[in-house]
């Protein structure tokens, strides 16, 4: 802005400063500039819309991929659960078989102990019979024949 001195009507010889625009600033903004700005705004809006569409498309694509991964994870989890159940059943079967084997071993131990007791009794009885036979044999030898 520049300050120009212009006389005002009805003013005496004193000059009163007034503000005025230079001739280049007083002209209006050209119409083509308005049009260019409007086109830039439209291009900006279209770019935003296109970018938003790309983001939405990528989001949809990633969402589909996530659903596929979710299904795969579910399948893996289901397989792991089935394997754990089979493993638990296998261990239960092993524990049952071990218990049965222990019971069988205990039965065999009892049978062996019983047979061992019978053998001990048999040996004792055989020793008694042997001792009796020796006594009888000695008695017969010491007795004179008539």
């Amino acid at each position: 802005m520049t300050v120009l001195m212009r006389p005002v009507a009805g003013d005496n010889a004193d000059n009163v400063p007034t503000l005025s625009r230079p001739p280049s600033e007083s002209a209006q903004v050209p119409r083509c500039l308005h049009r260019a700005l409007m086109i830039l705004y439209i291009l900006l809006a279209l770019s935003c819309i296109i970018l938003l569409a790309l983001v939405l498309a990528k989001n949809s694509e990633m969402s589909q991929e996530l659903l596929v991964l979710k299904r795969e994870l579910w399948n893996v989890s289901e397989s792991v659960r089935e394997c754990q159940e089979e493993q638990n059943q296998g261990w239960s079967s092993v524990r049952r078989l071990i218990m049965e084997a222990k019971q069988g071993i205990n039965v065999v131990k009892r049978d062996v102990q019983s047979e061992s007791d019978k053998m001990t009794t048999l040996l004792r009885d055989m020793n008694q019979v042997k001792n009796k036979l020796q006594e009888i044999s000695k008695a017969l030898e010491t007795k004179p024949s008539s």
Side-chain angles (χ1 to χ4, degrees), residues 2-8 16-20:
T2 60
V3 177
L4 296 178
M5 305 295 271
R6 268 197 243 154
V8 180
V16 177
T18 60
L19 296 177
S20 67

Side-chain angles (χ1 to χ4, degrees), residues 7-25:
V8 180
D11 204 6
N12 55 7
D14 293 342
N15 287 337
V16 177
T18 60
L19 296 177
S20 67
R21 292 184 186 159
S24 64
E25 287 186 325

Side-chain angles (χ1 to χ4, degrees), residues 74-134:
W74 175 261
N75 290 339
V76 168
S77 296
E78 193 65 23
S79 296
V80 166
R81 188 187 58 77
E82 289 172 3
C83 287
Q84 286 175 335
E85 285 179 9
E86 289 176 12
Q87 185 180 21
N88 288 340
Q89 288 174 355
W91 282 114
S92 294
S93 177
V94 166
R95 281 190 291 273
R96 183 181 46 80
L97 290 172
I98 288 172
M99 291 302 292
E100 289 174 5
K102 283 181 178 180
Q103 289 172 350
I105 289 170
N106 288 336
V107 167
V108 169
K109 271 181 165 177
R110 279 194 305 269
D111 290 348
V112 167
Q113 186 62 42
S114 173
E115 293 302 315
S116 177
D117 292 344
K118 287 179 185 177
M119 291 294 290
T120 303
T121 304
L122 185 60
L123 283 175
R124 190 176 59 236
D125 290 347
M126 285 175 51
N127 284 335
Q128 287 176 353
V129 168
K130 182 179 173 185
N131 289 339
K132 289 282 184 190
L133 284 174
Q134 285 175 351

